[in-house]
Amino acid sequence: MVMPARPRMRKGSPRTCPGSIASKIAHSTPDSPFPMTVITDRKAFDKSATPLLATDAKRLPKLLEKLTPAQRRWVASSGFEAKPHTHCTVPGAKGEVELVIAGVRDADDPWALAHLPLKLPAGRYALGKGPVTIGEDKAAFGWALGSYQFTRYKKARRKPADLQLAASDKVAQALGVADAVKLVRDLVNTPAEDMGPAELSDIVREQADLHGAEFDEWVGDELLAQNFPAIHAVGRAAARPPRLLELNWGNPKHPRLAIVGKGVCFDTGGLDIKGAEGMRLMKKDMGGAAHAIALARLVMQRKLPYRLQLLVPAVENSIAGNAYRPGDIVRTRKGLTVEIGNTDAEGRVILCDALAYAVEEKPKLVIDFATLTGAARVALGPELPAFFANDEKLARKLADGAEAVEDPVWRMPLWRSYRRLFESEVADFNNSGKGGFAGAIVGALFLDWFVPESTPWAHFDTFAWNDVSRPGRPAGGDAMGLRAALAALE
Ligand code: BES
Ligand code: ZN
Ligand code: ZN
């Protein structure tokens, strides 16, 4: 098969108008009536801000020694024990709030203060010297995300409390990461109707404009002309055409880094339609794309020394007369043929063309994010994204990064003998595994075919969603594995 030459680059021109979805979401100031939750501008500081003292249960008595007898009685009678994610407001002589004691796990917990912004009375707080010293970066991060509310369609529940913190590079970086997490949440929480392939395109284009990157995209039949047949096959039945989005940034002399994200804006399952229960949350099937976009933004914001390529195949897995069918054989960009065993295993089909394209440029490192399989959730549950890596050093860096920033991920094996599970009689392989065993591994092994063994590659099979709320992490879309990947890249 003859590969067409690398398609011409069309320089992205600014297309996002103020008030568009992209401008509402992609800027670091969230679409909220209360944007100021962490204040670092000294000129805006308020000397009368309420001090916030952090302690764990063990050191609470030490802190109490410094209070007045009346205050000690108050704390005791309120039953406060300084358990993590609790707090006690302590009154002064006139009944005003004189200080707040925050119960924390320890100084390293990035979520240590995350329960406070939406629990404390609205107003200004400042970190005081308590028995546990929460680093200002951790305070900023937890506070910023503890203030998160998804307000596109519903008024904010309340105004979050504000925290004032001395400005520093570390604080600025922590706020940048919090913004990236908020971007993931906003993108995932936005319903498919308002977050289709064109809207994802606007977001990527805006990121390119903001950071002086090149933007390029192929839409609808252009995907066929430029040899992205698998992306086209999955997305062709939707009323909104499929796209491949590309952003390139950085010094061409730096090592090439490709970041790829599954952008299935809605996954009906296709002709192998999902049941109501399984389809209910499938607006989040572009969660991988959201992670990839957010990670690319962090790489650009921090000017990390990479030549970055971001790729997002953006489609809807829809049903219509021209939908791809079970039993169809799709020829991929790489020339390998895929028998469609199940139209609901669409993520790997679009990703294989994007990965094949990425490795044509011989990157030094490839990372992809995808809400690829339900099986990864069965294996590890909703809090722990699975990752796979074909390179030990990269795997170690990711595991170490995850631990350092408390963004847990769990490695699963690329157990290559399970390739037999997706053999096909009529094509190079099948897109769904036989017997339903090892679903997450099979999904990863499918992608593995498209990345040369010599190219370090990591694949995140992430849930991108919180079923239950935890402090700083409300139910709904969320970043999982993003901070771990950033730590590894750094
Ligand atoms: N988007 C889903 C995977 C998914 C489901 C992620 C629920 C998170 C929560 C994916 O496209 C899918 O449907 N995968 C199938 C694959 C199967 C048909 C081989 C799955 O996991 O059941
Ligand atoms: Zn699916
Ligand atoms: Zn899917």
Side-chain angles (χ1 to χ4, degrees):
M1 176 170 189
V2 183
M3 295 277 186
R6 192 170 190 281
R8 74 207 178 280
M9 293 300 288
R10 277 169 294 147
K11 188 102 172 84
S13 56
R15 197 181 63 180
T16 331
C17 45
S20 73
I21 285 169
S23 75
K24 278 186 188 142
I25 288 181
H27 285 306
S28 53
T29 37
D31 180 30
S32 153
F34 317 119
M36 294 273 285
T37 55
V38 178
I39 297 153
T40 54
D41 179 2
R42 215 162 251 295
K43 279 177 265 156
F45 275 18
D46 180 350
K47 282 208 199 74
S48 62
T50 308
L52 192 68
L53 309 180
T55 183
D56 53 18
K58 209 173 81 205
R59 276 167 276 202
L60 178 60
K62 200 173 129 200
L63 191 159
L64 293 179
E65 281 168 22
K66 302 211 172 101
L67 303 186
T68 65
Q71 287 174 327
R72 276 201 289 275
R73 273 198 302 281
W74 171 271
V75 174
S77 61
S78 68
F80 179 69
E81 295 170 8
K83 290 197 179 125
H85 296 132
T86 61
H87 75 280
C88 182
T89 47
V90 181
K94 299 191 195 99
E96 79 287 12
V97 177
E98 187 171 295
L99 61 108
V100 174
I101 309 176
V104 301
R105 187 197 72 197
D106 56 48
D108 296 329
D109 184 0
W111 306 100
L113 305 182
H115 59 300
L116 295 170
L118 293 174
K119 275 208 191 127
L120 288 176
R124 194 70 76 83
Y125 298 83
L127 283 182
K129 250 194 111 35
V132 173
T133 307
I134 305 291
E136 302 214 313
D137 52 339
K138 296 219 162 70
F141 174 82
W143 200 276
L145 288 175
S147 312
Y148 176 81
Q149 301 178 80
F150 181 57
T151 54
R152 272 186 68 75
Y153 304 92
K154 189 181 176 186
K155 273 227 286 289
R157 234 175 336 120
R158 51 157 285 188
K159 177 173 171 31
D162 295 323
L163 181 70
Q164 62 186 31
L165 276 177
S168 70
D169 287 350
K170 272 176 95 179
V171 166
Q173 287 203 344
L175 290 174
V177 176
D179 270 344
V181 173
K182 288 185 198 174
L183 175 64
V184 173
R185 293 177 179 180
D186 283 344
L187 294 179
V188 172
N189 285 333
T190 301
E193 178 68 9
D194 293 337
M195 191 48 64
E199 285 79 14
L200 275 185
S201 163
D202 285 347
I203 304 283
V204 174
R205 184 190 296 263
E206 184 159 63
Q207 288 305 316
D209 291 344
L210 283 171
H211 294 99
E214 284 172 87
F215 174 79
D216 204 9
E217 69 175 335
W218 297 273
V219 184
D221 287 349
E222 287 175 346
L223 290 166
L224 291 177
Q226 298 300 335
N227 194 26
F228 297 104
I231 298 174
H232 185 270
V234 171
R236 73 189 183 204
R240 301 184 285 188
R243 297 168 185 249
L244 176 63
L245 317 174
E246 179 177 18
L247 174 155
N248 279 288
W249 172 89
N251 185 340
K253 291 200 185 101
H254 287 156
R256 274 192 87 87
L257 160 67
I259 303 177
V260 183
K262 169 178 170 181
V264 175
C265 294
F266 194 78
D267 185 7
T268 64
L271 289 170
D272 289 311
I273 189 169
K274 289 179 183 289
E277 185 78 353
M279 204 188 299
R280 177 63 183 87
L281 288 181
M282 282 300 123
K283 69 172 181 182
K284 80 177 174 76
D285 214 19
M286 35 56 71
H291 280 69
I293 294 167
L295 183 59
R297 172 161 113 173
L298 287 164
V299 168
M300 296 189 289
Q301 225 168 45
R302 297 192 172 195
K303 300 198 167 47
L304 297 187
Y306 290 103
R307 170 65 175 169
L308 169 70
Q309 179 189 42
L310 167 68
L311 290 171
V312 174
V315 306
E316 277 185 83
N317 189 17
S318 292
I319 299 172
N322 64 339
Y324 82 137
R325 309 162 190 86
D328 279 356
I329 297 176
V330 174
R331 188 174 290 278
T332 66
R333 179 177 186 85
K334 193 172 169 171
L336 297 167
T337 54
V338 178
E339 180 185 12
I340 303 304
N342 192 316
T343 60
D344 197 10
E346 81 298 338
R348 63 200 75 179
V349 181
I350 61 169
L351 284 171
C352 77
D353 270 3
L355 286 171
Y357 179 54
V359 301
E360 285 164 22
E361 301 291 334
K362 307 226 164 2
K364 286 279 179 301
L365 178 57
V366 180
I367 301 182
D368 80 73
F369 292 89
T371 49
L372 201 69
T373 68
R377 302 293 71 75
V378 175
L380 298 177
E383 282 178 26
L384 201 51
F387 82 94
F388 298 81
N390 65 357
D391 181 274
E392 294 309 306
K393 211 172 123 197
L394 173 59
R396 225 172 304 122
K397 284 223 182 298
L398 286 167
D400 290 350
E403 203 175 311
V405 298
E406 294 209 24
D407 184 20
V409 297
W410 203 264
R411 188 178 183 190
M412 288 176 73
L414 285 167
W415 190 257
R416 296 209 166 99
S417 106
Y418 287 167
R419 280 177 175 168
R420 69 166 186 273
L421 295 176
F422 55 99
E423 279 166 2
S424 163
E425 298 293 328
V426 289
D428 290 322
F429 32 77
N430 196 299
N431 77 327
S432 67
K434 284 191 254 290
F437 287 133
I441 298 177
V442 165
L445 283 176
F446 184 97
L447 302 180
D448 177 53
W449 269 111
F450 295 86
V451 182
E453 236 173 294
S454 56
T455 304
W457 162 66
H459 156 62
F460 283 86
D461 193 334
T462 184
F463 196 46
W465 191 265
N466 293 316
D467 279 324
V468 296
S469 294
R470 288 176 287 165
R473 288 175 276 192
D478 205 0
M480 298 175 172
L482 172 70
R483 294 181 297 116
L486 176 69
L489 288 180
E490 287 206 304

